[in-house]
Amino acid sequence: MRRNQSVNDLAVIAARIRRHVLEICRQRGGYAAQGVALADIAAVLYFDELRPDADGWFKDRFVLSNGHDAIMVYGALAETGHYGMDVLKTYNADGTSVDQSPIEGQLGFEITAGSLGQGPSQSAGLAWSLRRQGLDERVYCLFSDGELQEGNVWEAAMFAGHQKLDNLCFIIDNNDMQASGQVADVLAVEPVPEKFEAFGFKSRRINGTGITELLDAFEEARATKGRPYAMICDTRLWAGINCLQKALPMAHYTARTAVDWDEGLTEIGATLMELEAKRRE
Amino acid sequence: MLLTGERQFDSAPFDSISYDLCTRRGDVVVMSADLSKYCQVVRVKKELPEQHLDVGMAEQNLLAVAAGVAKGGLVPVATCFACYITRRAYDQLLICMGTGSGAGTNVETGGLTNIAIGFTPGITNPARIHHQAAEDLGMVRAIPNATVIDPVDPTDFRAALDIAVDLPGLTYIRGHRGNTPLILDPDKFTFELGKTYTLKAGKGIGIIASGHGTQWALETSELLSERGVDHSLLHVPTIKPVNEKEVSDFAFAHDQIVTIENHQIVTGLGSLVAEIVSDTGGGPRITRIGLANRWAPGGTLAYIRAQLGLDAEVLASRLAGLAS
């Protein structure tokens, strides 16, 4: 734990991020399931792991590789206050500045994500560049298990392992879902931790939705010397929102009319009340 | 006169260009994909190892890591053969290195510097097809906001890279390696981005060339002069963004235009000149010389040129025929 957040406080933040995701996606649809599944990772990253800088941003660098998961970043940056919800509600609208899959230079986005499999190499180059200059910034790169089918990802892994980039942490959203169906059916990628170990990483499989486990894994990543770190998160796309699970057995993209958004928001409201009650205890 | 006048060669131009640059600029990182020796990155690798990074035989990684190196605050100069750096890793060239700056991006002015240098371009590699790259200029020219340079010799190659390290966005430069003729006089030639250079002033046929094509055009020019065929020669090292007015003024000052390039006759210099001239309309006839919808053979450059009708004798005869 870096910023002395309590587990309960981070759980509240994660629930609030889920609420932001649903409120954004209910406007015109979007990658809602990815956003809610990654809310706990986002809460721990943005509210504990990434160190703030003096300019109101973050000293450590977060690289989003799969553009579809931008919704997670938007949910998190709504909670930090870097984006207003009025602006975020234009997500997926014509003429918006809030791209569904953003390009390099938009607040919160280091690279042009969306041509999948290119984040790991860029984050490895970034980590190498920072280390070369003697800087202690750490680099975090989120990418998905579907991207593991791209050869460029393994070129990156080989490079990061060879260069012993211990300032680099890969976060793999191992949700077993890609555009055509389950990853295990399309082109199996398991065993993922063992593959990264073979490329010179220290790796660990977690469920990706447990705050305590996430804090522990990030701690372990920072303590790992001489090797990059791969955190394989076995998330599920509907994590934390039952209405998504009911509506979306194939949850790659959520159309506006596919879900009872009010039901989801009610569910999050109940979760938040429980967590708030715990906080008062 | 911008030419040296003497026949001299530099046996390893990029070795000194890269070394001098790295000595002057500590923030430059010269990158290789297992071809450092073959791109003549020798002194930097040996004497300035902190400024050299080899990513292995992985060109997608080369360009994506380079983009990451730039995002960390350094200036990457990714080197490889032109075929791999453009064809094999085009998406990384375009997406990772080419979308961070310029109109239509989030950084309209300024932005990070990303440089890629493609060696043995066109038909200048002895291994046919897979090691040759006769479509690279067209590919990179199609990337919005990219800078594309096809230098003729070590002098404008060096000057182009010196300028590129301070340019925002993606810059692609065609490299020279091995015994390279010194054509431009460094004391008289000043490289400016976009500028075109008249190497011979005359009337009648206006030859427009770039890169190795300018070398071939100079050889052809000598033969044409011996035969009394009046002509001019314009060297266009900057393919993008070129000074279109200079190209247009040159074209309209001649009866007809011939473009000579080390590239397919589509999408490269010949196409560029045709586009510029047609934008004005009513211009001279343009004959585009280069590779015409065929694969080049392998072998020595002299052999390949002869097979393709790109040797000076055949070029001179073709141009003399056009003039008569």
Side-chain angles (χ1 to χ4, degrees):
Chain A
M1 189 161 295
R2 284 189 136 180
R3 286 159 61 182
N4 298 316
Q5 297 275 10
S6 75
V7 171
N8 195 69
D9 285 350
L10 288 169
V12 168
I13 289 165
R16 290 174 57 87
I17 289 172
R18 287 190 170 92
R19 185 162 70 187
H20 298 319
V21 167
L22 291 200
E23 282 177 351
I24 294 166
C25 291
R26 76 179 299 173
Q27 310 300 320
R28 279 165 221 88
Y31 295 100
Q34 286 87 338
V36 299
L38 295 167
D40 301 289
I41 294 171
V44 174
L45 254 180
Y46 284 94
F47 287 84
D48 191 77
E49 185 63 18
L50 300 178
R51 292 167 293 178
D53 68 10
D55 303 319
W57 187 243
F58 300 97
K59 178 181 174 182
D60 298 305
R61 311 282 287 263
F62 173 68
V63 177
L64 176 74
S65 180
N66 46 340
H68 316 75
D69 288 351
I71 186 65
M72 175 204 91
V73 178
Y74 290 137
L77 293 182
E79 189 59 20
T80 60
H82 287 95
Y83 280 90
M85 278 304 286
D86 51 337
V87 174
L88 290 173
K89 283 180 178 174
T90 65
Y91 169 89
N92 209 7
D94 284 347
T96 182
S97 60
V98 179
D99 273 335
Q100 191 167 255
S101 183
I103 66 165
E104 181 181 333
Q106 186 179 323
L107 183 65
F109 301 94
E110 294 266 2
I111 69 169
T112 300
S115 184
L116 299 175
Q118 297 178 349
S121 279
Q122 290 190 77
S123 59
L126 174 56
W128 184 91
S129 189
L130 297 171
R131 188 180 71 179
R132 218 310 294 275
Q133 297 169 82
L135 301 168
D136 81 332
E137 281 95 325
R138 289 181 57 75
V139 180
Y140 300 84
C141 179
L142 173 69
F143 55 101
S144 63
D145 51 355
E147 287 181 278
L148 295 174
Q149 295 162 355
E150 293 277 2
N152 197 174
V153 169
W154 298 105
E155 294 180 357
M158 204 180 294
F159 172 77
H162 177 80
Q163 292 287 344
K164 302 179 168 41
L165 295 173
D166 56 16
N167 58 344
L168 177 65
C169 176
F170 282 170
I171 305 163
I172 294 111
D173 182 18
N174 199 39
N175 61 23
D176 194 30
M177 193 67 75
Q178 61 186 117
S180 301
Q182 290 192 293
V183 174
D185 296 333
V186 177
L187 184 70
V189 298
E190 293 288 0
V192 180
E194 288 82 351
K195 286 189 167 97
F196 279 98
E197 290 276 345
F199 280 84
F201 284 63
K202 183 172 178 62
S203 69
R204 176 166 170 186
R205 187 192 290 274
I206 61 176
N207 73 22
T209 50
I211 300 283
T212 305
E213 196 179 30
L214 279 163
L215 288 168
D216 194 46
F218 279 118
E219 180 87 42
E220 184 179 63
R222 270 182 274 119
T224 300
K225 300 300 172 198
R227 287 196 279 174
Y229 191 86
M231 191 182 298
I232 293 92
C233 302
D234 288 346
T235 64
R236 289 299 172 259
L237 283 171
W238 45 83
I241 312 281
N242 291 327
C243 72
L244 278 175
Q245 184 170 13
K246 277 187 278 180
L248 303 163
M250 286 281 290
H252 185 67
Y253 183 88
T254 310
R256 188 177 62 83
T257 52
V259 169
D260 183 343
W261 301 97
D262 287 329
E263 187 190 329
L265 287 165
T266 304
E267 198 181 327
I268 293 170
T271 305
L272 271 169
M273 277 181 66
E274 274 176 38
L275 291 166
E276 294 287 356
K278 256 194 215 168
R279 185 188 265 172
R280 286 191 294 272
E281 279 168 14
Chain B
M1 194 60 184
L2 297 170
L3 305 176
T4 55
E6 294 170 47
R7 205 66 176 150
Q8 289 181 314
F9 291 85
D10 183 338
S11 61
F14 193 61
D15 199 25
S16 57
I17 290 171
S18 56
Y19 182 79
D20 294 347
L21 175 64
C22 286
T23 307
R24 186 166 58 81
R25 288 278 298 256
D27 60 341
V28 167
V29 179
V30 178
M31 297 178 57
S32 304
D34 193 37
L35 290 175
S36 57
K37 192 167 82 178
Y38 301 92
C39 298
Q40 299 189 305
V41 179
V42 179
R43 283 189 79 187
V44 170
K45 182 177 176 180
K46 193 175 164 193
E47 297 175 34
L48 302 167
E50 283 215 334
Q51 286 177 263
H52 182 251
L53 177 60
D54 199 323
V55 303
M57 191 168 40
E59 296 78 16
Q60 298 177 63
N61 199 40
L62 173 73
L63 300 186
V65 168
V69 167
K71 288 169 176 76
L74 299 174
V75 176
V77 178
T79 66
C80 197
F81 288 169
C83 52
Y84 304 128
I85 217 164
T86 57
R87 281 206 302 267
R88 184 141 191 167
Y90 187 60
D91 199 47
Q92 281 77 6
L93 189 72
L94 189 154
I95 298 284
C96 304
M97 299 180 90
T99 58
S101 149
T105 72
N106 287 312
V107 186
E108 295 268 338
T109 54
L112 301 175
T113 299
N114 284 274
I115 300 169
I117 303 181
F119 286 86
T120 73
I123 57 170
T124 61
N125 193 296
R128 67 181 310 224
I129 302 178
H130 47 82
H131 275 53
Q132 296 171 339
E135 59 291 302
D136 59 333
L137 293 178
M139 292 177 75
V140 188
R141 187 162 85 86
I143 300 175
N145 310 311
T147 299
V148 184
I149 302 170
D150 190 15
V152 64
D153 84 338
T155 299
D156 58 350
F157 184 15
R158 175 183 290 267
L161 183 56
D162 281 349
I163 283 182
V165 292
D166 292 314
L167 283 179
L170 168 66
T171 298
Y172 174 70
I173 304 173
R174 275 181 146 192
H176 289 271
R177 72 160 192 184
N179 248 5
T180 306
L182 294 165
I183 287 167
L184 300 165
D185 186 339
D187 294 332
K188 296 173 191 157
F189 175 85
T190 306
F191 181 84
E192 285 178 39
L193 194 67
K195 189 171 166 51
T196 63
Y197 300 88
T198 302
L199 301 185
K200 179 176 171 52
K203 292 192 295 251
I205 290 190
I207 304 169
I208 301 179
S210 67
H212 290 85
T214 300
Q215 295 179 12
W216 308 341
L218 281 164
E219 296 166 11
T220 306
S221 172
E222 279 185 30
L223 297 177
L224 288 174
S225 295
E226 285 170 20
R227 296 176 194 181
V229 179
D230 201 0
H231 65 280
S232 303
L233 171 56
L234 187 72
H235 172 47
V236 181
T238 307
I239 301 296
K240 185 178 179 176
V242 71
N243 185 323
E244 297 192 3
K245 184 172 184 310
E246 289 179 14
V247 174
S248 179
D249 286 351
F250 179 88
F252 280 86
H254 291 83
D255 300 333
Q256 60 177 317
I257 293 299
V258 175
T259 59
I260 300 179
E261 62 190 306
N262 175 28
H263 193 269
Q264 298 280 351
I265 59 168
V266 295
T267 76
L269 176 72
S271 298
L272 171 67
V273 170
E275 290 159 17
I276 292 170
V277 171
S278 74
D279 280 348
T280 304
R285 175 186 175 191
I286 299 168
T287 303
R288 291 168 291 131
I289 295 178
L291 267 80
N293 195 30
R294 62 163 290 177
W295 298 114
T300 61
L301 183 55
Y303 173 79
I304 301 171
R305 283 179 62 188
Q307 291 297 304
L308 296 170
L310 296 174
D311 57 304
E313 279 292 343
V314 173
L315 286 174
S317 297
R318 280 186 74 180
L319 268 65
L322 288 169
S324 59

